[in-house]
Amino acid sequence: MKEQLEQLLAAAVAQLQEQGTLPADISPRIQLDRPRDKSHGDFATNLALMLAKPAGTNPRALAEALIAALPENSLIAEANIAGPGFINFVISQDQLLEQLEAAYQDAQVGVSAVDQPQRVVIDYSSPNLAKEMHVGHLRSAIIGDAVARVCEFLGHTVIRQNHVGDWGTQFGMLLAHMEELEGNELAMELSNLETFYKAAKNRFDESPEFADRARELVVALQSGDEKCLRLWQQFIDVSLSHCQEVYDRLGVKLTREDVMAESAYNDDLPQVVEDLREQGLLVEDQGAQCVFLEEFKNKEGEALPVIVQKSGGGYLYATTDLAAVRYRQNVLKGDHLMYFVDQRQGLHFQQIFTLAKKAGFARDDLQMDHYGFGTVMGKDGRPYKSREGGVTKLADLLDQAEARALALVQSKNPDLSMEEQAQVAKVVGISSVKYADLSKNRTSDYIFDWDTMLSFEGNTAPYLLYAYTRVMSVFNKAGVQPDSLTGEFVLEDERELALANLLVRFNEVVHSVANKAMPHFLCGYLFDLAGAFSSFYEACPILQAEDDMVKQSRLKLAALTAKTLRQGLELLGIETLDKM
Ligand code: ARG
């Protein structure tokens, strides 16, 4: 609807340009908003306010001219001028009914594909493999996964990239520790990477001989020593399977095939530095190879360096990311590179993007975006820690989520069989953790709180999952399939209208999630939708409706609500349950 309305307005602008009311050389961006107050209509635009100056007229007069120039259509029931020159639109009821029917019939629930599908390369999760995944790895994995799902749904080709950190000095220490252990003992120790890492770190800090050996091994590893490579590969394999377990539990769609590790770029790193040198961008600073970009300055106003090679010859995080940009553009043929990485790496990515363009590694029109996110905080307002004060392993956190959900399910629904309880607890536990994260503004920090995320009230996973089962129970009771209803939509009660108006907004919301990489838009929408259904359900009897026509229409509203909730949750990576 929004797109159609935009097109109508664009036609009105063109018409006024032809008449000479508006200058011909402008191409204004048409912005349509949803008025906060429904009585102001369905959409509002400030177009007349924006264009009054170039038109040399006053906004209200221009608003009138724009309305008069709108092409004949069946979409707009009313267009009114408000305040200094806003135009408010009321969408016609016929149009609403048509869209509802289309969404009901459509496998994509009325969500249109993008006009220009792109190859979108999405870098997410990307943990360092030296340690097990911890709570700090939660956000990238689940936000990145949700946006990847949405982009795919909209018709883009999504290429997932798990840019795991599998190289660097820490591995020397891990290899030295592996060397000291053998066979079974080694396998045992590796089954807990967290303690393995700590044990290696202890040895490193306490024994100078061990530390020397660790440093030797880094050198050996980097020069391709076979025994080192074998040990390293063993470690990486164990660590990657840990990650995979976490992804599978979380319903994150990453697989081993999506892993493109830092070490995969090793061979290209000397070339990256060489190419920068040829471009005349390299400066040697205290033995290190750097690029100084005027765009990024410190407090003293001096350009900040991007270091691409250390004085000893080693390469850095930035060097690998430059190589990765090239690979993503040239080999993966990406049009848009997205990065879901902690906000604190913002400067790093801005430097990489700027430098990649400057050095000609990235085409001018390659789109690159870093979508940062805030920190998961404890109730004490500091980064979330385990009760013992250490970092919380993600696997332990998910165990805890499932255990808490199980207790909840047992108290709420003791009639379910043990297996059913376990199954429900799994879905509720995991989705509560995911949803609590996704429903917050990506860029803010948020407080990780079991009680609120597992609550059946408010914008939470349990609330939405329960709302879904409630809608589905209508069909169980009626003994009909939600997807095989025949009647037509008729909207009379204001609660029916409110629900219908929300249902047809799904398209717009899903597109906005992709455009801004903001999954919380979708969460907020689904929460509103569940609320609108609940008001409708209380006020408008479905199975006991006054006549069959009304009953069929209400069943269809319920069916479309269920379909929209299910699809919306799936886009967020959240499974639904038929009962709970
Ligand atoms: N491994 C890095 C870390 O844990 C994140 C990598 C993100 N992706 C990238 N292309 N730099 O901080």
Side-chain angles (χ1 to χ4, degrees), residues 446-478:
Y446 76 89
I447 293 177
F448 189 95
D449 177 15
W450 290 113
D451 296 330
T452 47
M453 73 176 74
L454 284 163
S455 166
F456 276 80
E457 272 154 50
N459 188 8
T460 66
Y463 171 79
L464 283 173
L465 292 175
Y466 184 67
Y468 177 77
T469 61
R470 218 158 70 133
V471 188
M472 289 310 284
S473 73
V474 174
F475 296 97
N476 291 336
K477 248 184 259 159

Side-chain angles (χ1 to χ4, degrees), residues 123 125-128 137 163-165 262 317 321 324 328 339-341 345 348-349:
D123 180 324
S125 189
S126 307
N128 287 330
H137 294 115
H163 187 88
V164 297
E262 287 188 8
Y317 189 50
D321 260 323
R328 292 169 188 189
Y339 295 79
F340 288 87
V341 186
Q345 296 193 25
H348 165 77
F349 283 107

Side-chain angles (χ1 to χ4, degrees), residues 8-9 11-17 19-22 47-48 55 57-71 81 85 87:
L8 291 172
L9 276 165
V13 170
Q15 165 82 27
L16 293 188
Q17 284 178 315
Q19 288 173 12
T21 314
L22 280 173
L47 195 60
T57 171
N58 76 67
R60 286 189 70 99
L62 183 61
E64 241 168 75
L66 277 166
I67 292 173
L70 283 166
I81 303 169
I87 309 176

Side-chain angles (χ1 to χ4, degrees), residues 120-169:
V120 185
V121 178
I122 310 189
D123 180 324
Y124 71 103
S125 189
S126 307
N128 287 330
L129 296 183
K131 294 183 187 179
E132 230 168 285
M133 288 179 81
H134 57 81
V135 63
H137 294 115
L138 193 61
R139 302 209 72 186
S140 174
I142 64 189
I143 299 171
D145 200 58
V147 174
R149 285 165 184 258
V150 169
C151 288
E152 257 167 357
F153 191 64
L154 294 179
H156 294 297
T157 300
V158 169
I159 303 155
R160 295 171 168 78
Q161 289 284 282
N162 195 356
H163 187 88
V164 297
D166 66 340
W167 205 249
T169 48

Side-chain angles (χ1 to χ4, degrees), residues 319-341:
T319 330
T320 311
D321 260 323
L322 287 169
V325 167
R326 289 219 276 217
Y327 173 78
R328 292 169 188 189
Q329 172 187 275
N330 300 337
V331 180
L332 300 178
K333 306 269 182 256
D335 303 307
H336 186 187
L337 314 186
M338 299 185 162
Y339 295 79
F340 288 87
V341 186

